[in-house]
């Protein structure tokens, strides 16, 4: 079984941006429930089918399979239609880990999140200076939530 152990943070400022170049991601969801999420993702020209289980203590089962890019495009077009997440992802090494910074586009523009995958939920993590508030336990920051409740529609102070 594949396991994902991940912490997620809001990003402050843009000091991170000069450290890597972004890759365009487009993704949509075939199933979104507390028990299972099935995602189609297009990363550049490469497609992926991903199945994720529920999060417990920062950990969740995850299975990801590469699929032809054209298949991913068709599934996004026909089955996900207008409920698509678009973002640029930047991979930034820091203190022995790879941080993935997602700069959201379209209806989620203005939201920038940083994620770091760990080998253990208790693994200590040094935070880059551009990392702000942790949102790991906040379901609103899951892409599967954002696709139905875009960031630009939130009531924020």
């Amino acid at each position: 079984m594949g396991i994902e152990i991940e912490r997620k943070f809001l990003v402050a400022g843009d000091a991170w941006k000069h450290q890597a170049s972004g890759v365009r991601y487009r993704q949509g969801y075939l199933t979104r429930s507390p028990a299972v999420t099935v995602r189609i993702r297009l990363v550049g020209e490469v497609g992926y089918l991903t199945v994720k289980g529920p999060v417990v203590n920062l950990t969740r089962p995850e299975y990801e399979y590469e699929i032809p890019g054209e298949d991913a495009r068709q599934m996004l077009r026909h089955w996900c239609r207008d409920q698509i997440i678009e973002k640029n992802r930047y991979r930034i090494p820091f203190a022995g880990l790879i941080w993935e910074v997602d700069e959201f586009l379209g209806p989620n523009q203005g939201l920038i999140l940083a994620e770091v995958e760990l080998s253990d939920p208790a693994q200590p993590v040094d935070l880059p200076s551009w990392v702000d508030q942790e949102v790991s336990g906040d379901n609103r920051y899951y892409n599967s939530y954002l696709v139905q409740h875009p960031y630009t529609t939130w009531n924020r102070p």
Side-chain angles (χ1 to χ4, degrees):
M1 171 179 2
I3 298 289
E4 175 185 64
I5 303 169
E6 181 177 80
R7 289 179 64 188
K8 190 176 290 212
F9 299 83
L10 295 175
V11 172
D14 62 0
W16 56 272
K17 203 164 187 176
H18 72 279
Q19 298 179 42
S21 56
V23 175
R24 178 64 52 97
Y25 279 54
R26 293 186 73 235
Q27 63 191 49
Y29 294 85
L30 302 178
T31 302
R32 292 178 309 275
S33 78
V36 67
T37 300
V38 180
R39 173 184 74 203
I40 300 298
R41 177 181 269 177
L42 191 62
V43 180
E45 295 299 315
V46 180
Y48 295 92
L49 171 68
T50 307
V51 181
K52 294 186 178 195
V55 177
V56 177
N57 189 27
L58 302 176
T59 303
R60 73 192 303 186
E62 177 185 57
Y63 303 89
E64 185 165 74
Y65 307 96
E66 188 173 321
I67 61 173
E70 185 54 33
D71 290 359
R73 270 189 287 286
Q74 288 182 23
M75 286 186 246
L76 288 168
R77 186 178 317 114
H78 297 294
W79 296 339
C80 302
R81 296 199 177 122
D82 60 346
Q83 292 197 7
I84 304 283
I85 294 281
E86 290 192 86
K87 60 189 177 182
N88 290 321
R89 174 166 281 179
Y90 303 79
R91 294 176 47 85
I92 303 171
F94 180 82
L97 296 171
I98 301 296
W99 288 79
E100 295 179 335
V101 177
D102 289 339
E103 180 180 36
F104 288 85
L105 306 170
N108 289 295
Q109 188 160 353
L111 178 61
I112 304 174
L113 293 173
E115 303 173 347
V116 63
E117 290 202 18
L118 308 172
S119 56
D120 182 279
Q123 179 179 345
V125 177
D126 291 327
L127 303 179
S129 62
W130 38 264
V131 163
D132 199 12
Q133 175 187 350
E134 184 164 7
V135 293
S136 298
D138 191 335
N139 293 343
R140 294 176 305 160
Y141 293 98
Y142 289 154
N143 290 306
S144 58
Y145 181 88
L146 290 167
V147 77
Q148 289 191 304
H149 309 280
Y151 183 71
T152 55
T153 66
W154 293 11
N155 290 328
R156 298 182 312 272

